[in-house]
């Protein structure tokens, strides 16, 4: 709202064309809904309207993409999670294990764990070389293949998102420390 207020406050009819040009340029960058009315003096929506921004930033889109990926992985929907990843994606996990396919990553986990549940506690996002980096932290619990349970294990995943897809995943955890206990 304030963005339009700075353009419309104290405007005269002579300023209207500049105001409309500036507003049009801003709307090219921001998807917005204008809600307004015609005043008694017959002014247009742009003079008396309220603008409700509906745009999402690249950062918000990246977080939403990573959240969908976690939802798919929790539901064991590997095809759905794979669709959110670039065909050239890479995954590197603690211990230096590398994967170029999500199916191989999941198979590696299935060979080690009877079950794993990741609780996502915090998302952070920043610009990064090659895209937007989304850091996700939390704790995980589950059981090893021998049935021994683990819980409260800290983890951090770094997703690199570019062109609407996950292109890189790096994950770290204290799971090895837990196994030694």
């Amino acid at each position: 709202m304030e963005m339009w207020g700075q353009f419309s406050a104290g405007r005269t009819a002579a300023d209207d064309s500049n105001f409309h040009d500036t507003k049009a340029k801003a709307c090219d960058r921001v998807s917005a809904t204008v809600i307004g009315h015609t005043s008694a003096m017959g002014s247009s929506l742009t003079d008396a309207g309220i603008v409700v921004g509906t745009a999402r930033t690249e950062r918000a889109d990246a977080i939403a993409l990573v959240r969908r990926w976690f939802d798919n992985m929790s539901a064991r929907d590997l095809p759905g999670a794979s669709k959110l990843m670039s065909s050239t994606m890479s995954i590197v996990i603690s211990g230096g294990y590398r994967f170029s396919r999500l199916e191989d990553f999941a198979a590696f986990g299935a060979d080690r764990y009877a079950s794993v549940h990741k609780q996502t506690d915090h998302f952070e996002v920043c610009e990064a070389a090659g895209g937007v980096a989304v850091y996700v932290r939390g704790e995980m619990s589950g059981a090893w293949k021998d049935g021994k349970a683990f819980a409260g294990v800290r983890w951090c995943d770094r997703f690199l998102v570019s062109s609407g897809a996950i292109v890189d995943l790096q994950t770290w955890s204290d799971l090895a420390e837990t196994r030694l206990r």
Side-chain angles (χ1 to χ4, degrees):
M1 272 195 247
E2 292 181 36
M3 179 171 73
W4 300 129
Q6 68 182 330
F7 294 117
S8 61
R11 287 287 198 203
T12 64
D15 296 323
D16 277 350
S17 65
N18 185 37
F19 169 73
H20 293 293
D21 289 345
T22 303
K23 184 175 179 181
K25 288 176 186 170
C27 284
D28 286 344
R29 293 187 310 271
V30 178
S31 171
T33 303
V34 177
I35 304 168
H37 65 279
T38 303
S39 71
M41 297 187 66
S43 61
S44 69
L45 292 176
T46 56
D47 294 334
I50 299 170
V51 176
V52 179
T54 58
R56 292 183 53 108
T57 65
E58 183 180 15
R59 290 177 177 200
D61 288 341
I63 289 173
L65 176 73
V66 169
R67 284 184 189 271
R68 285 194 315 273
W69 186 86
F70 272 108
D71 290 345
N72 284 324
M73 292 298 287
S74 293
R76 308 280 191 255
D77 179 6
L78 291 182
S82 291
K83 288 178 185 175
L84 303 174
M85 303 182 89
S86 163
S87 61
T88 60
M89 64 70 113
S90 66
I91 300 173
V92 180
I93 65 171
S94 297
Y97 298 98
R98 296 180 177 276
F99 307 94
S100 58
R101 295 179 344 117
L102 188 58
E103 296 79 9
D104 297 336
F105 171 64
F108 176 83
D111 285 343
R112 297 181 79 177
Y113 317 111
S115 66
V116 174
H117 172 72
K118 281 187 164 182
Q119 176 184 324
T120 58
D121 294 334
H122 193 76
F123 287 76
E124 294 177 357
V125 63
C126 62
E127 310 322 316
V132 175
V134 178
Y135 290 86
V136 187
R137 294 180 295 161
E139 289 188 355
M140 67 179 161
S141 59
W144 296 99
K145 284 296 246 185
D146 64 8
K148 184 177 178 184
F150 58 86
V153 177
R154 297 178 311 159
W155 62 271
C156 179
D157 289 353
R158 179 194 185 267
F159 293 84
L160 182 62
V161 176
S162 180
S163 301
I166 297 166
V167 297
D168 185 64
L169 167 59
Q170 297 179 31
T171 183
W172 301 270
S173 75
D174 291 337
L175 200 53
E177 295 294 320
T178 302
R179 185 66 171 162
L180 296 175
R181 292 183 204 147

